[in-house]
Structure formats: structure tokens, C-alpha cells
Amino acid sequence: MRPYVIIYSTITIDGRLASKTGYSELSCPYDKQRQHELRAEVDAIMVGANTVRIDNPSLTIKYSKRRGDKIRVVVTTSLNLDPSYKIFNTPPPTIIYTLDDSKMDKFKDKGVIIRKFRKLNEILEDLYANFNVKKLMIEGGGHLIWNFIKEGLFDEIRVTISPRIFGNGVNFADGEGFNGEDSPKLRLIDAKLCECGNEIHLIYKK
């Protein structure tokens, strides 16, 4: 068993999460609220290590009336992360899944849970079985999103299209790519013009 997985992101017209310099402030206030409303619905929020390094997010709920602690999950191969990042110093609890736990001592006083993994499906099964995570939100970055899509370990993709073009930078699904005919074809569930009048929010299911 695994959680229901929703990938959520705001991207440029040309499908970028961030520019070549790492700039990623794409959301209008309404999109931010949409993002935080979804955070309030799920049991856990997941990001990759690069998102933590570049954005230093807290992954808390600020723009929703519904509050409550959500488990934060960080996926990293190397555990090359600074314990001073916000995600390790503000409640609720954080779980790190890593291939290399040799550097775990630096998190000992932070209350961070360190788990080893080999495959992404093992992470999902562990979250479901041992942390009661029934619904998971993945917020990035592009490499993590690509790997979940490649493995077919997702149920929904929700994207907001921001009226920007970066031309280069981090792709929404940043990996080696499909051959075309073997790429997943999704079903459009909803499309709506954002309240700001300048963005479009799309919801797809497998």
C-alpha cells in the first residue's frame, strides 16, 4: 500500500520550475493560497534536497484557514544538507530519506527522523505503513518530480501556468526523458482561469 500522490507545481509557459539563476517566484497570491489549501488537505509534503538547499522552505501552512502540522519529507541521496535549514528547525517533524546515512549524527539534536531507502516505492510504503500518510503532496524539485513520474508513482498532477518564459533553467520533470510513445498520457480533470486573471490552473489524473 502507498499514499495517494499529488504533484503540485507552478511553472512558466515553457515548463520551467526555476530560471537558470534559480529564481522561482512564479505564484500570484491566489496560487499561493491554492498551494497552501492543498497542504492543509494532505498528511505529508515532500521535496528534494536541491529544493531545500536553494529555497530553504519551511513547508508550513500560512495561507489557509485550516491549520495543523503536516509531516515534511526530504529525499536525498547524499544527506549533504545543512542542519540550520528552516525545515529542520521549525515544527512539525521532518523525515529524511537517504541512500547514505553516515552523516546522520549532525541531525541528532534536531528531532529529525533518518530513514534509508533504495527505491522510491519503498519511501511511499514506509510513509503509509509507519507514519499513517494516506495522501502525499510533492512540491519539487524537477529531478524528484521526474523520478516519480518515470516510476508511475503518482495519481494527480496539478500545475499552475505562470505568464513567464525562462528559456532555460529547471524543467518541471527534469530527467532523461521518455521516447515519446512510452510517455504517460494523462486525463484532464479541471482547468480554470486563476482569480488574478493571468494564470491557468490545470488538474490531471493518470
Side-chain angles (χ1 to χ4, degrees), residues 2-28:
R2 68 164 178 84
Y4 188 89
V5 176
I6 302 171
I7 297 170
Y8 188 101
S9 189
T10 303
I11 61 176
T12 62
I13 293 171
D14 56 336
R16 310 287 183 176
L17 294 176
S19 73
K20 62 183 181 181
T21 61
Y23 179 84
S24 61
E25 295 296 321
L26 297 172
S27 297
C28 75

mmCIF file of all heavy atoms in Angstrom, residues 2-28:
data_model
loop_
_atom_site.group_PDB
_atom_site.id
_atom_site.type_symbol
_atom_site.label_atom_id
_atom_site.label_comp_id
_atom_site.label_asym_id
_atom_site.label_seq_id
_atom_site.Cartn_x
_atom_site.Cartn_y
_atom_site.Cartn_z
ATOM 1 N N ARG A 2 0.378 2.284 -0.672
ATOM 2 C CA ARG A 2 1.107 3.544 -0.705
ATOM 3 C C ARG A 2 0.120 4.699 -0.608
ATOM 4 O O ARG A 2 -1.085 4.533 -0.854
ATOM 5 C CB ARG A 2 1.943 3.654 -1.984
ATOM 6 C CG ARG A 2 1.129 3.801 -3.273
ATOM 7 C CD ARG A 2 2.026 4.292 -4.391
ATOM 8 N NE ARG A 2 1.366 4.417 -5.687
ATOM 9 C CZ ARG A 2 0.653 5.457 -6.081
ATOM 10 N NH1 ARG A 2 0.434 6.465 -5.252
ATOM 11 N NH2 ARG A 2 0.123 5.502 -7.293
ATOM 12 N N PRO A 3 0.606 5.912 -0.308
ATOM 13 C CA PRO A 3 -0.288 7.075 -0.260
ATOM 14 C C PRO A 3 -0.787 7.465 -1.651
ATOM 15 O O PRO A 3 -0.196 7.104 -2.670
ATOM 16 C CB PRO A 3 0.598 8.189 0.311
ATOM 17 C CG PRO A 3 1.806 7.523 0.859
ATOM 18 C CD PRO A 3 1.971 6.256 0.104
ATOM 19 N N TYR A 4 -1.880 8.217 -1.690
ATOM 20 C CA TYR A 4 -2.339 8.894 -2.896
ATOM 21 C C TYR A 4 -1.385 10.067 -3.116
ATOM 22 O O TYR A 4 -1.206 10.908 -2.228
ATOM 23 C CB TYR A 4 -3.768 9.383 -2.695
ATOM 24 C CG TYR A 4 -4.434 9.943 -3.925
ATOM 25 C CD1 TYR A 4 -5.144 9.108 -4.779
ATOM 26 C CD2 TYR A 4 -4.376 11.301 -4.222
ATOM 27 C CE1 TYR A 4 -5.780 9.612 -5.915
ATOM 28 C CE2 TYR A 4 -5.003 11.817 -5.346
ATOM 29 C CZ TYR A 4 -5.705 10.964 -6.184
ATOM 30 O OH TYR A 4 -6.322 11.466 -7.301
ATOM 31 N N VAL A 5 -0.765 10.148 -4.279
ATOM 32 C CA VAL A 5 0.306 11.112 -4.524
ATOM 33 C C VAL A 5 -0.156 12.204 -5.486
ATOM 34 O O VAL A 5 -0.592 11.919 -6.608
ATOM 35 C CB VAL A 5 1.557 10.404 -5.092
ATOM 36 C CG1 VAL A 5 2.636 11.426 -5.443
ATOM 37 C CG2 VAL A 5 2.090 9.390 -4.082
ATOM 38 N N ILE A 6 -0.035 13.460 -5.030
ATOM 39 C CA ILE A 6 -0.367 14.622 -5.850
ATOM 40 C C ILE A 6 0.899 15.444 -6.067
ATOM 41 O O ILE A 6 1.532 15.884 -5.104
ATOM 42 C CB ILE A 6 -1.430 15.508 -5.175
ATOM 43 C CG1 ILE A 6 -2.709 14.705 -4.901
ATOM 44 C CG2 ILE A 6 -1.740 16.732 -6.041
ATOM 45 C CD1 ILE A 6 -3.729 15.439 -4.050
ATOM 46 N N ILE A 7 1.275 15.638 -7.317
ATOM 47 C CA ILE A 7 2.391 16.513 -7.661
ATOM 48 C C ILE A 7 1.828 17.907 -7.921
ATOM 49 O O ILE A 7 0.916 18.071 -8.723
ATOM 50 C CB ILE A 7 3.138 15.991 -8.900
ATOM 51 C CG1 ILE A 7 3.761 14.611 -8.606
ATOM 52 C CG2 ILE A 7 4.214 16.978 -9.340
ATOM 53 C CD1 ILE A 7 4.314 13.916 -9.836
ATOM 54 N N TYR A 8 2.360 18.897 -7.222
ATOM 55 C CA TYR A 8 1.863 20.270 -7.354
ATOM 56 C C TYR A 8 3.020 21.190 -7.711
ATOM 57 O O TYR A 8 4.074 21.161 -7.075
ATOM 58 C CB TYR A 8 1.228 20.752 -6.046
ATOM 59 C CG TYR A 8 0.535 22.096 -6.176
ATOM 60 C CD1 TYR A 8 -0.840 22.172 -6.304
ATOM 61 C CD2 TYR A 8 1.268 23.285 -6.188
ATOM 62 C CE1 TYR A 8 -1.482 23.408 -6.438
ATOM 63 C CE2 TYR A 8 0.651 24.511 -6.323
ATOM 64 C CZ TYR A 8 -0.727 24.569 -6.447
ATOM 65 O OH TYR A 8 -1.344 25.783 -6.589
ATOM 66 N N SER A 9 2.812 22.032 -8.726
ATOM 67 C CA SER A 9 3.880 22.948 -9.104
ATOM 68 C C SER A 9 3.323 24.147 -9.862
ATOM 69 O O SER A 9 2.252 24.076 -10.467
ATOM 70 C CB SER A 9 4.901 22.227 -9.988
ATOM 71 O OG SER A 9 6.033 23.040 -10.190
ATOM 72 N N THR A 10 4.057 25.228 -9.817
ATOM 73 C CA THR A 10 3.778 26.400 -10.649
ATOM 74 C C THR A 10 4.928 26.539 -11.631
ATOM 75 O O THR A 10 6.098 26.543 -11.225
ATOM 76 C CB THR A 10 3.643 27.667 -9.794
ATOM 77 O OG1 THR A 10 2.606 27.455 -8.828
ATOM 78 C CG2 THR A 10 3.298 28.868 -10.656
ATOM 79 N N ILE A 11 4.597 26.615 -12.914
ATOM 80 C CA ILE A 11 5.631 26.582 -13.949
ATOM 81 C C ILE A 11 5.432 27.722 -14.943
ATOM 82 O O ILE A 11 4.357 28.306 -15.043
ATOM 83 C CB ILE A 11 5.628 25.231 -14.695
ATOM 84 C CG1 ILE A 11 4.280 25.002 -15.402
ATOM 85 C CG2 ILE A 11 5.939 24.093 -13.745
ATOM 86 C CD1 ILE A 11 4.227 23.734 -16.245
ATOM 87 N N THR A 12 6.489 28.001 -15.689
ATOM 88 C CA THR A 12 6.413 29.000 -16.748
ATOM 89 C C THR A 12 5.697 28.412 -17.970
ATOM 90 O O THR A 12 5.439 27.214 -18.043
ATOM 91 C CB THR A 12 7.814 29.451 -17.169
ATOM 92 O OG1 THR A 12 8.523 28.310 -17.689
ATOM 93 C CG2 THR A 12 8.587 30.030 -15.999
ATOM 94 N N ILE A 13 5.421 29.264 -18.955
ATOM 95 C CA ILE A 13 4.797 28.797 -20.193
ATOM 96 C C ILE A 13 5.658 27.732 -20.858
ATOM 97 O O ILE A 13 5.136 26.790 -21.469
ATOM 98 C CB ILE A 13 4.570 29.991 -21.152
ATOM 99 C CG1 ILE A 13 3.520 30.944 -20.567
ATOM 100 C CG2 ILE A 13 4.134 29.514 -22.537
ATOM 101 C CD1 ILE A 13 3.402 32.245 -21.330
ATOM 102 N N ASP A 14 6.985 27.854 -20.722
ATOM 103 C CA ASP A 14 7.873 26.861 -21.324
ATOM 104 C C ASP A 14 8.266 25.746 -20.350
ATOM 105 O O ASP A 14 9.260 25.051 -20.556
ATOM 106 C CB ASP A 14 9.116 27.525 -21.938
ATOM 107 C CG ASP A 14 9.901 28.368 -20.943
ATOM 108 O OD1 ASP A 14 9.323 28.824 -19.947
ATOM 109 O OD2 ASP A 14 11.109 28.577 -21.170
ATOM 110 N N GLY A 15 7.484 25.566 -19.298
ATOM 111 C CA GLY A 15 7.617 24.389 -18.445
ATOM 112 C C GLY A 15 8.764 24.389 -17.467
ATOM 113 O O GLY A 15 9.268 23.324 -17.083
ATOM 114 N N ARG A 16 9.176 25.567 -17.010
ATOM 115 C CA ARG A 16 10.287 25.657 -16.067
ATOM 116 C C ARG A 16 9.798 25.920 -14.645
ATOM 117 O O ARG A 16 8.904 26.739 -14.422
ATOM 118 C CB ARG A 16 11.248 26.781 -16.457
ATOM 119 C CG ARG A 16 11.701 26.757 -17.900
ATOM 120 C CD ARG A 16 12.679 25.653 -18.197
ATOM 121 N NE ARG A 16 13.144 25.716 -19.575
ATOM 122 C CZ ARG A 16 14.064 24.922 -20.089
ATOM 123 N NH1 ARG A 16 14.631 24.013 -19.331
ATOM 124 N NH2 ARG A 16 14.423 25.042 -21.351
ATOM 125 N N LEU A 17 10.425 25.233 -13.698
ATOM 126 C CA LEU A 17 10.180 25.492 -12.273
ATOM 127 C C LEU A 17 10.987 26.687 -11.784
ATOM 128 O O LEU A 17 10.566 27.400 -10.880
ATOM 129 C CB LEU A 17 10.595 24.281 -11.428
ATOM 130 C CG LEU A 17 9.837 22.977 -11.564
ATOM 131 C CD1 LEU A 17 10.496 21.923 -10.709
ATOM 132 C CD2 LEU A 17 8.395 23.166 -11.154
ATOM 133 N N ALA A 18 12.163 26.850 -12.363
ATOM 134 C CA ALA A 18 13.069 27.917 -11.939
ATOM 135 C C ALA A 18 13.935 28.333 -13.118
ATOM 136 O O ALA A 18 14.132 27.567 -14.067
ATOM 137 C CB ALA A 18 13.950 27.442 -10.782
ATOM 138 N N SER A 19 14.453 29.547 -13.049
ATOM 139 C CA SER A 19 15.327 30.060 -14.107
ATOM 140 C C SER A 19 16.726 29.478 -13.955
ATOM 141 O O SER A 19 17.034 28.776 -12.986
ATOM 142 C CB SER A 19 15.385 31.584 -14.040
ATOM 143 O OG SER A 19 16.158 31.984 -12.914
ATOM 144 N N LYS A 20 17.605 29.826 -14.865
ATOM 145 C CA LYS A 20 18.985 29.329 -14.804
ATOM 146 C C LYS A 20 19.737 29.874 -13.592
ATOM 147 O O LYS A 20 20.750 29.314 -13.173
ATOM 148 C CB LYS A 20 19.737 29.671 -16.092
ATOM 149 C CG LYS A 20 19.867 31.157 -16.375
ATOM 150 C CD LYS A 20 20.565 31.394 -17.704
ATOM 151 C CE LYS A 20 20.730 32.885 -17.997
ATOM 152 N NZ LYS A 20 21.404 33.098 -19.307
ATOM 153 N N THR A 21 19.236 30.958 -13.001
ATOM 154 C CA THR A 21 19.852 31.506 -11.783
ATOM 155 C C THR A 21 19.180 31.007 -10.512
ATOM 156 O O THR A 21 19.557 31.391 -9.417
ATOM 157 C CB THR A 21 19.797 33.041 -11.804
ATOM 158 O OG1 THR A 21 18.419 33.465 -11.844
ATOM 159 C CG2 THR A 21 20.551 33.601 -12.995
ATOM 160 N N GLY A 22 18.132 30.157 -10.660
ATOM 161 C CA GLY A 22 17.435 29.625 -9.500
ATOM 162 C C GLY A 22 16.203 30.404 -9.097
ATOM 163 O O GLY A 22 15.519 30.041 -8.133
ATOM 164 N N TYR A 23 15.893 31.479 -9.820
ATOM 165 C CA TYR A 23 14.697 32.281 -9.495
ATOM 166 C C TYR A 23 13.437 31.448 -9.734
ATOM 167 O O TYR A 23 13.269 30.836 -10.789
ATOM 168 C CB TYR A 23 14.655 33.528 -10.369
ATOM 169 C CG TYR A 23 13.444 34.406 -10.131
ATOM 170 C CD1 TYR A 23 13.439 35.331 -9.094
ATOM 171 C CD2 TYR A 23 12.313 34.286 -10.934
ATOM 172 C CE1 TYR A 23 12.317 36.130 -8.867
ATOM 173 C CE2 TYR A 23 11.204 35.086 -10.712
ATOM 174 C CZ TYR A 23 11.211 36.004 -9.677
ATOM 175 O OH TYR A 23 10.099 36.784 -9.456
ATOM 176 N N SER A 24 12.543 31.415 -8.737
ATOM 177 C CA SER A 24 11.357 30.563 -8.854
ATOM 178 C C SER A 24 10.098 31.204 -8.281
ATOM 179 O O SER A 24 9.124 30.511 -7.981
ATOM 180 C CB SER A 24 11.603 29.226 -8.153
ATOM 181 O OG SER A 24 11.868 29.419 -6.766
ATOM 182 N N GLU A 25 10.090 32.534 -8.125
ATOM 183 C CA GLU A 25 8.921 33.219 -7.572
ATOM 184 C C GLU A 25 7.889 33.419 -8.678
ATOM 185 O O GLU A 25 7.828 34.475 -9.311
ATOM 186 C CB GLU A 25 9.340 34.565 -6.961
ATOM 187 C CG GLU A 25 10.247 34.436 -5.762
ATOM 188 C CD GLU A 25 9.566 33.741 -4.596
ATOM 189 O OE1 GLU A 25 8.368 33.994 -4.373
ATOM 190 O OE2 GLU A 25 10.229 32.933 -3.924
ATOM 191 N N LEU A 26 7.082 32.417 -8.907
ATOM 192 C CA LEU A 26 6.143 32.416 -10.029
ATOM 193 C C LEU A 26 4.691 32.594 -9.613
ATOM 194 O O LEU A 26 3.854 32.953 -10.436
ATOM 195 C CB LEU A 26 6.280 31.108 -10.814
ATOM 196 C CG LEU A 26 7.634 30.855 -11.477
ATOM 197 C CD1 LEU A 26 7.683 29.442 -12.043
ATOM 198 C CD2 LEU A 26 7.886 31.877 -12.575
ATOM 199 N N SER A 27 4.360 32.322 -8.373
ATOM 200 C CA SER A 27 2.961 32.273 -7.942
ATOM 201 C C SER A 27 2.398 33.644 -7.594
ATOM 202 O O SER A 27 3.054 34.445 -6.912
ATOM 203 C CB SER A 27 2.814 31.370 -6.715
ATOM 204 O OG SER A 27 3.169 30.050 -7.018
ATOM 205 N N CYS A 28 1.161 33.887 -8.014
ATOM 206 C CA CYS A 28 0.408 35.036 -7.530
ATOM 207 C C CYS A 28 -0.151 34.695 -6.146
ATOM 208 O O CYS A 28 -0.101 33.538 -5.718
ATOM 209 C CB CYS A 28 -0.714 35.374 -8.508
ATOM 210 S SG CYS A 28 -2.117 34.225 -8.441
#
